[in-house]
Amino acid sequence: MTFDPSLSELADEAKTWRRTIHQYPELLFDLPKTAALVTEKLEAFGCDEVVGGIAKSGVVAVINGTRGAGKTIALRCDMDALPMLEQTNLPHASKVENMMHACGHDGHTAMLLAAAKHLSANRDFAGKVVLIFQPAEEGGGGSRVMIEEGVLERFGIEEVYGMHNQPGLDVGSFAIRSGPMMAGGDRFVVTINGKGGHAAYPHLCHDPVLAGAQMIVALQSIASRFTNPFDPVVVSVTYIEGGNASALNVIPAAIKIGGTIRTMLPETRKAVEARFREVVSTTAKLMQTDAELDWRPGYPVTVNDPEKTRVAAGVAQSFAGADRVDSDWPATMGSEDFSYMLEKRPGALIWLGNGDTADLHNPAYDFNDDAIIHGLRYWVTLVDQQLNGKTDV
Ligand code: NI
């Protein structure tokens, strides 16, 4: 299998873009420098349309093929960094204190820019490619906001593909799985309102502390007694607040508990939420208290479409070799906001090997530039196979 030598040159060029982006990390929806760099390059490459300002800092580019009508597929990357202090001591380390590209979104952005440059100059395909550069993957749900602002309909997107680097997976290797691949994550804070008073006369009070203790124990029955043991569920109570250590003879009027819930199936997520609400309200009632629930929905379960997973795995196998693509990679309890797009359109998220590096979100992490060429090949081969029916680049 031979590749256009320009792809290697392009990967080298993308490495310099990646390092520039790495030096100026930005957070959530507020990515003026990154979005400006992305927009400037996409315009210089001659994309047919470049639209900025979607979900504040999101950028979308369209590249039409020269073979006429066909499908519209979207390739998506994330651009935001994390509020962390970088500890790599690399020459291209972050120049912004307490901000760091610790999840490799700098690499994802550079690879998709490289794909845009290649595809703008090599348009021998039918239909069109939409490139989505999204903000706020790290907790802001930028993908959801772009969907709410109409990105899927506006650009006629029929299929969506994403790629994320994976430390511990060899450079040049890929991994994917069909169906649920990453967990859905929701958070909660419950305020338990009782009736405070003298701790020596508990019968005159409605004790929210004992109600909270019962609630925490009862919540653990969701994962152990209510759901199928083969269907992973995590319910973690991580926060308790109430009472006063200098007033130990006082039963407080209210306490708060909070935590997070992770599930792997959309239907389990719904069922667990319903059961959670039931446990909270009945335990509170049992203890003669009231519960006020602040439910904070997080990212949905990331579910890869089975057919598009085969497409994605086949694309990677066609240039990396079958032994470098693991199609049965274990699911994780982490969450990813590409899940919102996968809820609306068929598609797949694939892991790209980042080699033996520090883990994601670790202060010593750095995206591996040697992975760029492989990610770039994935994007251009995907377009070629999906919009041309070809099996080689
Ligand atoms: Ni990430």
Side-chain angles (χ1 to χ4, degrees):
M1 187 159 301
T2 52
F3 275 102
D4 182 346
S6 69
L7 278 187
S8 310
E9 287 163 29
L10 190 48
D12 285 342
E13 195 183 355
K15 176 175 153 180
T16 64
W17 305 338
R18 202 284 291 181
R19 293 185 173 198
T20 303
I21 297 167
H22 189 91
Q23 288 178 64
Y24 302 99
E26 297 175 300
L27 304 182
L28 291 167
F29 290 95
D30 202 18
L31 318 173
K33 281 199 179 75
T34 313
L37 180 147
V38 165
T39 304
E40 187 200 305
K41 296 218 178 291
L42 292 170
E43 284 173 351
F45 301 156
C47 295
D48 294 295
E49 259 184 276
V50 180
V51 183
I54 305 178
K56 194 171 176 188
S57 297
V59 184
V60 173
V62 177
I63 302 171
N64 295 310
T66 50
R67 287 197 177 190
K71 268 196 297 198
T72 298
I73 66 170
L75 317 181
R76 167 274 193 188
C77 78
D78 37 21
M79 302 188 286
D80 57 318
L82 285 153
M84 294 170 55
L85 182 65
E86 178 162 348
Q87 291 171 10
T88 62
N89 294 316
L90 289 165
H92 61 272
S94 171
K95 291 186 188 298
V96 187
E97 202 175 343
N98 291 322
M99 291 191 199
M100 172 189 182
H101 270 291
C103 201
H105 299 185
D106 49 344
H108 303 164
T109 304
M111 290 189 292
L112 196 56
L113 279 175
K117 186 169 184 182
H118 177 86
L119 293 168
S120 292
N122 299 273
R123 294 167 178 252
D124 187 22
F125 56 84
K128 63 179 177 179
V129 181
V130 178
L131 303 116
I132 300 175
F133 296 81
Q134 77 148 82
E137 194 288 319
E138 299 289 359
S143 162
R144 175 178 51 78
V145 179
M146 288 189 96
I147 293 168
E148 284 168 3
E149 293 188 13
V151 82
L152 297 175
E153 296 78 17
R154 177 173 175 181
F155 298 97
I157 294 164
E158 294 166 80
E159 299 174 12
V160 290
Y161 295 91
M163 176 162 47
H164 201 294
N165 77 95
Q166 180 68 256
L169 182 66
D170 291 345
V171 170
S173 290
F174 291 82
I176 196 164
R177 78 177 289 111
S178 180
M181 187 183 185
M182 296 181 80
D186 298 311
R187 288 161 301 154
F188 60 86
V189 174
V190 183
T191 305
I192 303 163
N193 295 303
K195 184 182 169 210
H198 201 303
Y201 309 100
H203 57 294
L204 302 178
C205 305
H206 296 155
D207 183 0
V209 176
L210 185 57
Q214 302 254 16
M215 199 176 286
I216 291 167
V217 173
L219 287 173
Q220 291 310 312
S221 70
I222 296 175
S224 67
R225 303 288 96 172
F226 176 69
T227 58
N228 187 325
F230 288 98
D231 179 10
V233 173
V234 173
V235 178
S236 287
V237 176
T238 55
Y239 158 72
I240 308 182
E241 189 183 304
N244 187 334
S246 355
L248 295 174
N249 56 356
V250 175
I251 290 175
I255 70 155
K256 286 175 194 275
I257 66 168
T260 184
I261 296 180
R262 303 290 166 117
T263 47
M264 284 309 296
L265 294 173
E267 54 271 31
T268 305
R269 185 180 182 215
K270 279 200 192 110
V272 165
E273 181 189 338
R275 183 70 187 145
F276 175 87
R277 288 176 181 275
E278 223 169 20
V279 169
V280 163
S281 65
T282 53
T283 317
K285 200 172 164 201
L286 177 72
M287 302 307 297
Q288 297 181 300
T289 57
D290 287 320
E292 250 174 70
L293 175 60
D294 173 7
W295 181 257
R296 303 175 184 176
Y299 294 165
V301 183
T302 302
V303 183
N304 274 345
D305 175 84
E307 190 210 321
K308 304 309 171 201
T309 303
R310 275 195 295 278
V311 166
V315 165
Q317 281 165 5
S318 70
F319 64 86
D323 57 333
R324 309 216 75 177
V325 181
D326 183 341
S327 301
D328 193 25
W329 187 256
T332 77
M333 294 313 273
S335 297
E336 158 66 54
D337 91 338
F338 185 55
S339 52
Y340 288 110
M341 292 195 178
L342 289 172
E343 280 187 332
K344 301 285 184 191
R345 296 289 186 272
L349 176 74
I350 196 164
W351 295 116
L352 167 74
N354 202 54
D356 185 19
T357 63
D359 279 333
L360 301 174
H361 297 207
N362 183 298
Y365 170 87
D366 190 36
F367 181 84
N368 192 334
D369 287 320
D370 293 340
I372 291 177
I373 183 67
H374 305 285
L376 174 58
R377 281 177 184 161
Y378 176 76
W379 285 138
V380 302
T381 310
L382 176 69
V383 170
D384 206 51
Q385 291 195 7
Q386 281 300 83
L387 299 185
N388 248 346
K390 277 209 247 164
T391 54
D392 202 351
V393 179

